[in-house]
Coordinates of all heavy atoms in Angstrom, one line a residue:
M107 N 6.6 7.5 -5.0 CA 5.5 7.3 -4.1 C 5.5 5.8 -3.6 O 5.4 5.6 -2.4 CB 4.2 7.7 -4.7 CG 3.0 7.5 -3.8 SD 1.5 7.7 -4.8 CE 0.6 6.3 -4.2
L108 N 5.6 4.9 -4.5 CA 5.5 3.5 -4.1 C 6.9 2.9 -3.8 O 7.6 2.5 -4.7 CB 4.8 2.6 -5.1 CG 3.3 2.9 -5.3 CD1 2.8 2.1 -6.4 CD2 2.6 2.5 -4.0
K109 N 7.3 2.9 -2.6 CA 8.6 2.3 -2.2 C 8.5 1.9 -0.7 O 7.7 2.5 0.0 CB 9.8 3.2 -2.4 CG 9.7 4.5 -1.7 CD 11.0 5.3 -2.0 CE 10.9 6.7 -1.5 NZ 11.5 7.1 -0.3
L110 N 9.3 1.0 -0.3 CA 9.2 0.5 1.1 C 9.9 1.6 1.9 O 10.8 2.3 1.5 CB 10.0 -0.8 1.2 CG 9.2 -2.0 0.7 CD1 10.1 -3.3 0.7 CD2 7.9 -2.3 1.5
P111 N 9.4 1.8 3.2 CA 10.0 2.9 4.0 C 11.4 2.6 4.5 O 11.8 1.4 4.6 CB 9.0 2.9 5.2 CG 8.4 1.5 5.3 CD 8.4 1.0 3.9
L112 N 12.1 3.7 4.8 CA 13.4 3.6 5.4 C 13.4 4.1 6.8 O 12.5 4.9 7.1 CB 14.4 4.4 4.6 CG 14.6 4.1 3.1 CD1 15.5 5.2 2.4 CD2 15.2 2.7 2.9
C113 N 14.3 3.7 7.6 CA 14.4 4.2 9.0 C 14.8 5.7 8.9 O 15.7 6.1 8.2 CB 15.5 3.5 9.8 SG 15.9 4.3 11.4
P114 N 14.0 6.6 9.5 CA 14.3 8.0 9.4 C 15.5 8.5 10.1 O 16.0 9.6 10.0 CB 13.0 8.7 10.1 CG 12.5 7.6 11.0 CD 12.8 6.3 10.4
Y115 N 16.1 7.6 10.9 CA 17.3 7.9 11.7 C 18.6 7.4 11.0 O 19.5 8.2 10.8 CB 17.3 7.3 13.1 CG 16.1 7.8 13.9 CD1 14.9 7.0 14.0 CD2 16.1 9.1 14.5 CE1 13.8 7.5 14.7 CE2 15.0 9.6 15.2 CZ 13.8 8.7 15.3 OH 12.7 9.2 16.0
C116 N 18.6 6.1 10.7 CA 19.8 5.5 10.1 C 19.7 5.1 8.6 O 20.7 4.7 8.0 CB 20.3 4.3 11.0 SG 19.2 2.9 10.8
G117 N 18.5 5.3 8.1 CA 18.3 5.0 6.7 C 18.2 3.5 6.3 O 18.3 3.1 5.2
A118 N 18.1 2.6 7.4 CA 18.0 1.2 7.2 C 16.8 0.8 6.3 O 15.7 1.4 6.5 CB 18.0 0.5 8.5
R119 N 17.0 -0.2 5.5 CA 15.9 -0.7 4.7 C 15.1 -1.8 5.5 O 15.7 -2.5 6.3 CB 16.4 -1.4 3.4 CG 17.0 -0.4 2.5 CD 17.6 -1.1 1.3 NE 18.2 -0.1 0.4 CZ 17.5 0.6 -0.5 NH1 16.2 0.4 -0.7 NH2 18.1 1.5 -1.3
F120 N 13.8 -1.8 5.2 CA 12.9 -2.8 5.8 C 12.4 -3.8 4.8 O 12.1 -3.3 3.7 CB 11.8 -2.1 6.6 CG 12.3 -1.4 7.8 CD1 12.8 -0.1 7.7 CD2 12.3 -2.0 9.1 CE1 13.3 0.6 8.8 CE2 12.8 -1.3 10.2 CZ 13.3 0.0 10.0
L121 N 12.2 -5.0 5.1 CA 11.7 -6.0 4.2 C 10.2 -5.9 4.2 O 9.6 -5.5 5.2 CB 12.2 -7.4 4.6 CG 13.7 -7.6 4.5 CD1 14.1 -9.0 5.0 CD2 14.2 -7.5 3.0
F122 N 9.6 -6.4 3.1 CA 8.2 -6.4 2.9 C 7.4 -7.0 4.1 O 6.5 -6.3 4.5 CB 7.9 -7.1 1.6 CG 6.4 -7.1 1.2 CD1 5.9 -6.0 0.4 CD2 5.5 -8.1 1.5 CE1 4.6 -5.9 0.1 CE2 4.2 -8.0 1.2 CZ 3.7 -6.9 0.4
P123 N 7.7 -8.2 4.6 CA 6.9 -8.7 5.7 C 7.0 -7.9 6.9 O 6.0 -7.8 7.7 CB 7.6 -10.1 6.0 CG 8.4 -10.4 4.8 CD 8.8 -9.1 4.2
T124 N 8.1 -7.2 7.2 CA 8.3 -6.4 8.4 C 7.4 -5.2 8.3 O 6.7 -4.8 9.2 CB 9.8 -5.9 8.5 OG1 10.6 -7.0 8.2 CG2 10.1 -5.3 9.8
V125 N 7.4 -4.6 7.1 CA 6.6 -3.4 6.8 C 5.1 -3.7 6.9 O 4.3 -3.0 7.5 CB 6.9 -2.8 5.5 CG1 6.0 -1.5 5.2 CG2 8.4 -2.4 5.4
K126 N 4.8 -4.9 6.4 CA 3.4 -5.3 6.4 C 2.9 -5.5 7.9 O 1.8 -5.2 8.2 CB 3.3 -6.7 5.7 CG 1.9 -6.9 5.0 CD 2.0 -8.0 4.0 CE 0.6 -8.3 3.5 NZ -0.5 -7.6 4.1
Q127 N 3.8 -6.0 8.7 CA 3.4 -6.2 10.1 C 3.2 -4.8 10.8 O 2.3 -4.6 11.6 CB 4.5 -7.0 10.9 CG 4.3 -8.5 10.7 CD 5.4 -9.2 11.4 OE1 6.3 -8.7 11.9 NE2 5.3 -10.5 11.4
S128 N 4.1 -3.9 10.5 CA 4.1 -2.6 11.2 C 3.0 -1.7 10.7 O 2.7 -0.7 11.4 CB 5.5 -1.9 11.0 OG 5.6 -1.3 9.7
Q129 N 2.4 -2.0 9.6 CA 1.4 -1.0 9.0 C 0.2 -0.9 9.9 O -0.6 0.0 9.7 CB 1.1 -1.4 7.6 CG 0.2 -2.6 7.4 CD 0.1 -3.0 5.9 OE1 0.8 -2.4 5.1 NE2 -0.8 -3.9 5.6
T130 N -0.1 -1.9 10.8 CA -1.2 -1.8 11.6 C -0.9 -1.1 13.0 O -1.8 -0.8 13.8 CB -1.8 -3.2 11.9 OG1 -0.8 -4.0 12.4 CG2 -2.4 -3.8 10.7
K131 N 0.4 -0.8 13.2 CA 0.8 -0.2 14.4 C 1.1 1.3 14.3 O 1.3 1.8 13.1 CB 2.1 -0.9 14.9 CG 1.9 -2.4 15.3 CD 3.2 -3.0 15.6 CE 3.0 -4.5 15.7 NZ 4.2 -5.3 15.4
K132 N 1.1 2.0 15.4 CA 1.3 3.5 15.3 C 2.8 3.8 15.3 O 3.2 4.7 14.7 CB 0.6 4.1 16.5 CG -0.9 4.3 16.4 CD -1.4 5.3 17.4 CE -2.8 5.8 17.1 NZ -3.8 4.7 17.4
T133 N 3.6 3.0 16.1 CA 5.0 3.2 16.2 C 5.7 1.9 15.9 O 5.2 0.8 16.0 CB 5.4 3.8 17.5 OG1 5.0 2.8 18.5 CG2 4.8 5.1 17.8
G134 N 7.0 2.0 15.7 CA 7.9 0.8 15.5 C 9.3 1.1 16.0 O 9.6 2.3 16.2
I135 N 10.1 0.1 16.1 CA 11.5 0.3 16.6 C 12.4 -0.3 15.5 O 12.2 -1.4 15.0 CB 11.7 -0.4 17.9 CG1 11.0 0.4 19.0 CG2 13.2 -0.5 18.3 CD1 11.0 -0.3 20.4
C136 N 13.4 0.5 15.1 CA 14.4 0.1 14.1 C 15.3 -1.0 14.7 O 15.9 -0.8 15.7 CB 15.2 1.3 13.6 SG 16.5 0.8 12.5
P137 N 15.4 -2.1 14.1 CA 16.3 -3.2 14.6 C 17.8 -2.9 14.4 O 18.6 -3.5 15.0 CB 15.9 -4.4 13.8 CG 15.3 -3.9 12.5 CD 14.7 -2.6 12.8
H138 N 18.1 -1.9 13.6 CA 19.5 -1.5 13.3 C 20.0 -0.5 14.3 O 21.0 -0.7 14.9 CB 19.6 -0.9 11.9 CG 19.2 -1.9 10.8 ND1 20.1 -2.8 10.2 CD2 18.0 -2.2 10.3 CE1 19.4 -3.6 9.4 NE2 18.1 -3.2 9.4
C139 N 19.2 0.6 14.6 CA 19.7 1.6 15.5 C 18.9 1.7 16.8 O 19.3 2.4 17.7 CB 19.7 3.0 14.8 SG 18.1 3.6 14.4
G140 N 17.8 0.9 16.9 CA 17.1 0.8 18.1 C 16.2 2.0 18.5 O 15.7 2.1 19.6
K141 N 16.1 2.9 17.5 CA 15.3 4.1 17.8 C 13.8 3.9 17.4 O 13.5 3.1 16.5 CB 15.9 5.3 17.1 CG 17.2 5.9 17.7 CD 17.7 7.0 16.9 CE 19.0 7.5 17.6 NZ 19.8 8.4 16.7
E142 N 13.0 4.6 18.1 CA 11.5 4.5 17.8 C 11.1 5.5 16.8 O 11.5 6.6 16.8 CB 10.8 4.7 19.1 CG 9.4 4.1 19.1 CD 8.7 4.3 20.4 OE1 9.2 5.0 21.3 OE2 7.6 3.7 20.6
F143 N 10.2 5.0 15.9 CA 9.7 5.9 14.8 C 8.2 5.8 14.8 O 7.6 4.9 15.3 CB 10.3 5.6 13.5 CG 10.3 4.2 13.1 CD1 9.1 3.6 12.7 CD2 11.4 3.4 13.2 CE1 9.1 2.2 12.3 CE2 11.4 2.0 12.8 CZ 10.2 1.5 12.4
R144 N 7.5 6.8 14.1 CA 6.1 6.8 14.0 C 5.8 6.2 12.6 O 6.5 6.5 11.6 CB 5.6 8.3 14.0 CG 4.1 8.5 14.0 CD 3.8 9.9 14.4 NE 4.4 10.9 13.5 CZ 3.8 11.2 12.3 NH1 2.6 10.7 12.0 NH2 4.4 12.1 11.5
V145 N 4.7 5.4 12.5 CA 4.3 4.8 11.3 C 3.2 5.7 10.6 O 2.2 5.9 11.2 CB 3.8 3.4 11.5 CG1 3.3 2.7 10.1 CG2 4.8 2.5 12.1
S146 N 3.6 6.2 9.5 CA 2.6 7.1 8.8 C 1.9 6.3 7.6 O 2.6 5.7 6.8 CB 3.4 8.3 8.2 OG 2.6 8.9 7.2
R147 N 0.6 6.4 7.6 CA -0.1 5.7 6.6 C -0.9 6.6 5.7 O -1.8 6.1 4.9 CB -1.1 4.7 7.2 CG -0.4 3.5 7.9 CD -1.4 2.6 8.5 NE -2.0 3.3 9.7 CZ -1.5 3.1 10.9 NH1 -0.5 2.3 11.2 NH2 -2.0 3.8 11.9
S148 N -0.6 7.9 5.7 CA -1.4 8.8 4.9 C -1.4 8.6 3.4 O -2.3 8.9 2.7 CB -1.0 10.3 5.3 OG 0.4 10.3 5.4
W149 N -0.2 8.1 2.9 CA -0.1 7.8 1.4 C -1.1 6.8 0.9 O -1.4 6.6 -0.2 CB 1.3 7.4 1.0 CG 2.2 8.6 0.9 CD1 3.1 9.0 1.8 CD2 2.2 9.6 -0.2 NE1 3.7 10.2 1.3 CE2 3.2 10.5 0.1 CE3 1.5 9.7 -1.4 CZ2 3.5 11.6 -0.7 CZ3 1.8 10.7 -2.2 CH2 2.7 11.7 -1.9
R150 N -1.6 5.9 1.9 CA -2.5 4.9 1.5 C -3.7 5.4 0.8 O -4.2 4.8 -0.1 CB -2.9 4.2 2.9 CG -3.6 2.9 2.7 CD -3.8 2.2 4.0 NE -4.3 3.2 5.0 CZ -4.8 2.8 6.2 NH1 -4.9 1.6 6.5 NH2 -5.3 3.7 7.0
W151 N -4.2 6.6 1.3 CA -5.4 7.1 0.7 C -5.2 7.6 -0.7 O -6.1 7.5 -1.5 CB -5.9 8.3 1.6 CG -6.3 7.7 3.0 CD1 -5.5 7.9 4.1 CD2 -7.3 6.9 3.3 NE1 -6.1 7.2 5.1 CE2 -7.2 6.6 4.7 CE3 -8.4 6.3 2.6 CZ2 -8.1 5.7 5.3 CZ3 -9.3 5.5 3.2 CH2 -9.2 5.2 4.6
V152 N -4.0 8.0 -1.0 CA -3.6 8.4 -2.4 C -3.7 7.2 -3.3 O -4.2 7.2 -4.4 CB -2.2 9.1 -2.4 CG1 -1.9 9.4 -3.9 CG2 -2.2 10.3 -1.6
L153 N -3.2 6.0 -2.7 CA -3.2 4.8 -3.5 C -4.7 4.3 -3.7 O -5.0 4.0 -4.8 CB -2.5 3.7 -2.7 CG -2.5 2.3 -3.2 CD1 -1.7 2.2 -4.5 CD2 -1.9 1.3 -2.2
Y154 N -5.5 4.4 -2.7 CA -6.9 4.0 -2.8 C -7.6 4.9 -3.9 O -8.3 4.3 -4.7 CB -7.7 4.2 -1.5 CG -7.3 3.2 -0.4 CD1 -7.6 3.4 0.9 CD2 -6.7 2.0 -0.8 CE1 -7.3 2.5 1.9 CE2 -6.4 1.1 0.2 CZ -6.7 1.3 1.5 OH -6.3 0.4 2.5
L155 N -7.4 6.2 -3.8 CA -8.1 7.1 -4.8 C -7.6 6.8 -6.2 O -8.4 6.8 -7.1 CB -7.8 8.6 -4.4 CG -8.7 9.0 -3.2 CD1 -8.2 10.5 -2.8 CD2 -10.1 9.0 -3.4
A156 N -6.3 6.6 -6.3 CA -5.7 6.4 -7.7 C -6.3 5.0 -8.2 O -6.7 4.9 -9.3 CB -4.2 6.3 -7.6
A157 N -6.4 4.0 -7.3 CA -6.9 2.7 -7.7 C -8.3 2.8 -8.1 O -8.8 2.2 -9.1 CB -6.7 1.7 -6.5
L158 N -9.1 3.6 -7.3 CA -10.5 3.8 -7.6 C -10.7 4.4 -9.0 O -11.5 3.9 -9.8 CB -11.2 4.7 -6.5 CG -12.7 4.7 -6.6 CD1 -13.3 3.4 -6.1 CD2 -13.2 5.9 -5.6
A159 N -9.9 5.4 -9.3 CA -10.0 6.1 -10.6 C -9.7 5.1 -11.7 O -10.3 5.1 -12.7 CB -9.1 7.3 -10.6
V160 N -8.6 4.3 -11.5 CA -8.2 3.3 -12.5 C -9.3 2.3 -12.8 O -9.6 2.0 -13.9 CB -6.8 2.6 -12.1 CG1 -6.6 1.4 -13.0 CG2 -5.7 3.6 -12.2
F161 N -9.9 1.8 -11.7 CA -10.9 0.7 -11.8 C -12.2 1.2 -12.5 O -12.8 0.5 -13.3 CB -11.1 0.0 -10.5 CG -10.0 -0.9 -10.1 CD1 -9.4 -0.7 -8.9 CD2 -9.6 -1.9 -11.0 CE1 -8.3 -1.5 -8.6 CE2 -8.5 -2.7 -10.7 CZ -7.9 -2.5 -9.5
V162 N -12.6 2.4 -12.1 CA -13.8 3.0 -12.7 C -13.6 3.2 -14.2 O -14.4 2.8 -15.0 CB -14.2 4.3 -12.0 CG1 -15.3 5.0 -12.8 CG2 -14.7 4.0 -10.6
G163 N -12.4 3.7 -14.5 CA -12.0 3.9 -15.9 C -11.9 2.6 -16.7 O -12.5 2.5 -17.8
L164 N -11.3 1.6 -16.0 CA -11.1 0.3 -16.7 C -12.5 -0.4 -16.9 O -12.7 -0.9 -18.0 CB -10.2 -0.5 -15.8 CG -9.7 -1.9 -16.4 CD1 -8.8 -1.6 -17.6 CD2 -9.0 -2.7 -15.3
D165 N -13.3 -0.4 -15.8 CA -14.6 -1.0 -16.0 C -15.5 -0.3 -17.0 O -16.1 -1.0 -17.8 CB -15.3 -1.0 -14.6 CG -14.7 -2.0 -13.6 OD1 -13.9 -2.9 -14.1 OD2 -15.1 -2.1 -12.5
C166 N -15.4 1.0 -17.1 CA -16.2 1.7 -18.1 C -15.7 1.4 -19.5 O -16.5 1.2 -20.4 CB -16.1 3.2 -17.9 SG -17.1 3.8 -16.4
A167 N -14.4 1.3 -19.6 CA -13.8 0.9 -20.9 C -14.2 -0.5 -21.3 O -14.5 -0.7 -22.5 CB -12.2 1.1 -20.9
L168 N -14.1 -1.4 -20.4 CA -14.5 -2.8 -20.6 C -15.9 -3.0 -21.0 O -16.3 -3.8 -21.8 CB -14.1 -3.7 -19.5 CG -12.6 -4.0 -19.2 CD1 -12.4 -4.7 -17.9 CD2 -12.0 -4.8 -20.4
L169 N -16.8 -2.1 -20.4 CA -18.2 -2.2 -20.6 C -18.6 -1.8 -22.1 O -19.7 -2.1 -22.5 CB -19.0 -1.3 -19.6 CG -19.3 -2.0 -18.3 CD1 -19.9 -0.9 -17.3 CD2 -20.2 -3.2 -18.4
T170 N -17.7 -1.2 -22.8 CA -18.0 -0.8 -24.1 C -17.8 -2.0 -25.1 O -18.2 -2.0 -26.2 CB -17.0 0.4 -24.6 OG1 -15.7 -0.1 -24.5 CG2 -17.2 1.6 -23.8
I171 N -17.1 -3.1 -24.6 CA -17.0 -4.3 -25.4 C -18.4 -5.0 -25.3 O -18.9 -5.3 -24.2 CB -15.9 -5.2 -24.8 CG1 -14.6 -4.4 -24.8 CG2 -15.8 -6.5 -25.6 CD1 -13.4 -5.1 -24.0
P172 N -19.0 -5.3 -26.5 CA -20.3 -5.9 -26.5 C -20.5 -7.2 -25.7 O -21.5 -7.4 -25.1 CB -20.6 -6.1 -28.0 CG -19.7 -5.2 -28.7 CD -18.5 -5.1 -27.8
S173 N -19.5 -8.1 -25.8 CA -19.6 -9.4 -25.1 C -19.2 -9.4 -23.6 O -19.1 -10.4 -23.0 CB -18.8 -10.4 -25.9 OG -17.4 -10.0 -25.8
M174 N -19.0 -8.2 -23.1 CA -18.5 -8.1 -21.7 C -19.6 -8.5 -20.7 O -20.8 -8.2 -21.0 CB -18.1 -6.6 -21.4 CG -17.4 -6.5 -20.1 SD -16.1 -7.6 -19.8 CE -15.0 -7.3 -21.2
N175 N -19.3 -9.2 -19.7 CA -20.3 -9.5 -18.7 C -19.8 -9.1 -17.3 O -18.6 -8.9 -17.0 CB -20.6 -11.0 -18.8 CG -19.4 -11.9 -18.7 OD1 -18.5 -11.7 -17.8 ND2 -19.3 -12.8 -19.6
V176 N -20.8 -9.1 -16.3 CA -20.5 -8.6 -15.0 C -19.5 -9.5 -14.2 O -18.6 -9.0 -13.6 CB -21.8 -8.4 -14.2 CG1 -21.5 -8.1 -12.7 CG2 -22.6 -7.2 -14.8
P177 N -19.7 -10.9 -14.3 CA -18.7 -11.7 -13.6 C -17.2 -11.4 -14.0 O -16.4 -11.4 -13.1 CB -19.1 -13.1 -14.0 CG -20.6 -13.0 -14.3 CD -20.7 -11.7 -14.9
F178 N -17.0 -11.2 -15.3 CA -15.7 -10.9 -15.7 C -15.2 -9.6 -15.1 O -14.0 -9.5 -14.6 CB -15.6 -10.8 -17.3 CG -14.2 -10.6 -17.8 CD1 -13.3 -11.6 -17.9 CD2 -13.9 -9.3 -18.2 CE1 -12.0 -11.4 -18.4 CE2 -12.6 -9.1 -18.7 CZ -11.7 -10.1 -18.8
L179 N -16.0 -8.6 -15.1 CA -15.6 -7.3 -14.5 C -15.3 -7.5 -13.0 O -14.4 -6.9 -12.4 CB -16.8 -6.3 -14.6 CG -17.0 -5.7 -16.0 CD1 -18.1 -4.7 -16.0 CD2 -15.7 -5.0 -16.5
M180 N -16.1 -8.4 -12.3 CA -15.9 -8.6 -10.9 C -14.5 -9.3 -10.7 O -13.8 -9.0 -9.7 CB -17.0 -9.4 -10.3 CG -18.3 -8.6 -10.1 SD -19.7 -9.6 -9.6 CE -19.3 -10.0 -7.9
V181 N -14.2 -10.2 -11.6 CA -12.9 -10.9 -11.4 C -11.8 -9.9 -11.6 O -10.8 -9.8 -10.8 CB -12.8 -12.0 -12.5 CG1 -11.3 -12.6 -12.6 CG2 -13.7 -13.2 -12.1
I182 N -11.9 -9.0 -12.6 CA -10.9 -8.0 -12.9 C -10.7 -7.1 -11.6 O -9.6 -6.8 -11.2 CB -11.3 -7.1 -14.1 CG1 -11.3 -7.9 -15.4 CG2 -10.4 -5.8 -14.2 CD1 -9.9 -8.2 -16.0
T183 N -11.9 -6.7 -11.1 CA -11.9 -5.8 -9.9 C -11.2 -6.5 -8.7 O -10.5 -5.9 -8.0 CB -13.3 -5.3 -9.6 OG1 -13.8 -4.8 -10.8 CG2 -13.3 -4.3 -8.5
A184 N -11.6 -7.8 -8.5 CA -11.0 -8.6 -7.4 C -9.5 -8.7 -7.5 O -8.8 -8.6 -6.6 CB -11.6 -10.0 -7.4
I185 N -9.0 -9.0 -8.8 CA -7.5 -9.0 -9.0 C -6.9 -7.7 -8.6 O -5.9 -7.6 -7.9 CB -7.2 -9.4 -10.5 CG1 -7.7 -10.8 -10.7 CG2 -5.7 -9.2 -10.8 CD1 -7.7 -11.2 -12.2
G186 N -7.6 -6.6 -9.0 CA -7.1 -5.3 -8.7 C -7.0 -5.0 -7.2 O -6.0 -4.5 -6.7
V187 N -8.0 -5.5 -6.5 CA -8.1 -5.3 -5.0 C -6.9 -6.0 -4.4 O -6.3 -5.5 -3.5 CB -9.5 -5.7 -4.4 CG1 -9.4 -5.8 -2.9 CG2 -10.6 -4.8 -4.9
I188 N -6.6 -7.2 -4.9 CA -5.5 -8.0 -4.3 C -4.2 -7.3 -4.6 O -3.3 -7.2 -3.7 CB -5.5 -9.5 -5.0 CG1 -6.8 -10.2 -4.5 CG2 -4.3 -10.2 -4.6 CD1 -7.1 -11.5 -5.3
I189 N -4.1 -6.8 -5.8 CA -2.8 -6.0 -6.1 C -2.7 -4.8 -5.2 O -1.6 -4.6 -4.6 CB -2.8 -5.5 -7.6 CG1 -2.8 -6.8 -8.5 CG2 -1.7 -4.6 -7.9 CD1 -3.0 -6.5 -10.0
I190 N -3.8 -4.1 -5.0 CA -3.7 -2.9 -4.1 C -3.3 -3.4 -2.7 O -2.5 -2.7 -2.0 CB -5.1 -2.2 -4.1 CG1 -5.4 -1.7 -5.5 CG2 -5.1 -1.1 -3.0 CD1 -4.4 -0.8 -6.1
Y191 N -3.9 -4.5 -2.2 CA -3.6 -5.0 -0.9 C -2.1 -5.2 -0.7 O -1.6 -4.9 0.3 CB -4.4 -6.3 -0.7 CG -4.1 -7.0 0.6 CD1 -4.7 -6.5 1.8 CD2 -3.3 -8.1 0.7 CE1 -4.5 -7.1 3.0 CE2 -3.1 -8.7 1.9 CZ -3.7 -8.2 3.1 OH -3.4 -8.8 4.3
F192 N -1.4 -5.7 -1.7 CA 0.0 -6.0 -1.6 C 0.8 -4.7 -1.9 O 2.0 -4.7 -1.6 CB 0.4 -7.1 -2.6 CG 0.0 -8.4 -2.0 CD1 -1.0 -9.1 -2.5 CD2 0.8 -9.0 -1.0 CE1 -1.4 -10.4 -2.0 CE2 0.4 -10.2 -0.5 CZ -0.7 -10.9 -1.0
L193 N 0.2 -3.6 -2.4 CA 0.9 -2.4 -2.6 C 0.9 -1.5 -1.4 O 1.7 -0.6 -1.2 CB 0.3 -1.6 -3.8 CG 0.7 -2.1 -5.2 CD1 -0.1 -1.3 -6.2 CD2 2.2 -2.1 -5.4
I194 N -0.1 -1.8 -0.4 CA -0.2 -0.9 0.7 C 1.1 -0.7 1.5 O 1.5 0.4 1.9 CB -1.4 -1.4 1.7 CG1 -2.7 -1.2 0.9 CG2 -1.3 -0.7 3.0 CD1 -3.9 -1.8 1.6
P195 N 1.9 -1.8 1.8 CA 3.2 -1.6 2.5 C 4.1 -0.6 1.8 O 4.9 0.0 2.5 CB 3.8 -3.0 2.5 CG 2.6 -3.9 2.5 CD 1.6 -3.2 1.6
Y196 N 4.0 -0.5 0.5 CA 4.8 0.5 -0.2 C 4.4 1.9 0.0 O 5.1 2.8 -0.5 CB 4.8 0.2 -1.7 CG 5.5 -1.1 -2.1 CD1 4.8 -2.3 -2.1 CD2 6.9 -1.2 -2.3 CE1 5.5 -3.5 -2.4 CE2 7.5 -2.4 -2.5 CZ 6.8 -3.5 -2.6 OH 7.5 -4.7 -2.8
T197 N 3.2 2.2 0.6 CA 2.8 3.5 0.9 C 3.1 3.9 2.3 O 2.9 5.0 2.7 CB 1.3 3.7 0.6 OG1 0.6 2.9 1.5 CG2 0.9 3.3 -0.8
V198 N 3.6 3.0 3.1 CA 3.9 3.2 4.5 C 5.2 4.1 4.6 O 6.1 3.8 3.8 CB 4.1 1.9 5.3 CG1 4.6 2.2 6.7 CG2 2.7 1.2 5.4
R199 N 5.2 5.1 5.5 CA 6.4 5.9 5.7 C 6.7 5.9 7.2 O 5.8 6.0 8.0 CB 6.2 7.3 5.2 CG 6.1 7.4 3.7 CD 7.5 7.1 3.0 NE 7.3 7.0 1.6 CZ 7.0 5.9 0.9 NH1 6.7 4.8 1.5 NH2 6.9 5.9 -0.4
Y200 N 8.0 5.8 7.5 CA 8.4 5.9 8.9 C 8.9 7.3 9.2 O 9.7 7.9 8.4 CB 9.5 4.9 9.2 CG 9.1 3.5 9.1 CD1 10.0 2.5 8.9 CD2 7.7 3.1 9.3 CE1 9.6 1.1 8.8 CE2 7.3 1.8 9.2 CZ 8.3 0.8 9.0 OH 7.9 -0.5 8.9
K201 N 8.4 8.0 10.2 CA 8.7 9.4 10.5 C 9.3 9.4 11.9 O 9.0 8.6 12.8 CB 7.5 10.3 10.5 CG 6.8 10.2 9.1 CD 6.7 11.6 8.5 CE 6.3 11.5 7.0 NZ 4.9 11.5 6.9
K202 N 10.2 10.4 12.1 CA 10.8 10.6 13.5 C 9.7 11.0 14.5 O 8.8 11.7 14.1 CB 11.8 11.8 13.4 CG 13.1 11.3 12.7 CD 14.1 12.5 12.7 CE 15.3 12.0 11.9 NZ 16.3 13.1 11.8
L203 N 9.8 10.5 15.7 CA 8.8 10.9 16.7 C 9.0 12.3 17.2 O 10.1 12.8 17.3 CB 9.0 9.9 17.9 CG 8.3 8.5 17.7 CD1 8.7 7.7 19.0 CD2 6.8 8.7 17.6
Ligands
ZN301 ZN1 17.4 2.9 12.3

């Protein structure tokens, strides 16, 4: 599920910054074969839901520790959000138009 997208026509690989740029667009053009593809972001929601489940579970587990405090939980959650932010390009898929 978590991998960078390939060109649906020629199978060319795309680098992280390229995918990151394309994730806000609806379509893109392959620099290798010049064909146009559709940018699919539907897997992103699976990532969000999985992340939500992990964080709720993690926060609940951490709250059972007696010395746990809210600022620490917020830091953990913030780190998690940053990780998710960088994982989003790995959920992008390129599809044929
Ligand atoms: Zn291509």
Side-chain angles (χ1 to χ4, degrees):
M107 178 191 135
L108 288 175
K109 60 180 170 97
L110 287 172
L112 300 172
C113 171
Y115 302 100
C116 68
R119 289 175 184 277
F120 291 85
L121 295 173
F122 186 87
T124 316
V125 178
K126 210 163 170 356
Q127 274 177 358
S128 78
Q129 72 188 11
T130 54
K131 295 172 189 151
K132 281 195 167 76
T133 59
I135 289 171
C136 174
H138 300 269
C139 64
K141 286 178 179 163
E142 201 177 8
F143 50 75
R144 187 167 60 84
V145 180
S146 165
R147 287 178 292 266
S148 40
W149 278 105
R150 189 173 48 163
W151 299 105
V152 178
L153 176 68
Y154 288 162
L155 286 174
L158 191 70
V160 166
F161 286 123
V162 169
L164 189 67
D165 284 351
C166 287
L168 288 172
L169 277 173
T170 61
I171 302 168
S173 60
M174 191 49 59
N175 53 47
V176 172
F178 182 78
L179 285 180
M180 284 172 75
V181 168
I182 294 284
T183 307
I185 292 168
V187 169
I188 294 165
I189 293 170
I190 297 307
Y191 178 76
F192 283 102
L193 282 178
I194 291 170
Y196 291 91
T197 64
V198 172
R199 290 295 172 272
Y200 295 156
K201 304 240 168 83
K202 288 181 184 179
L203 278 175

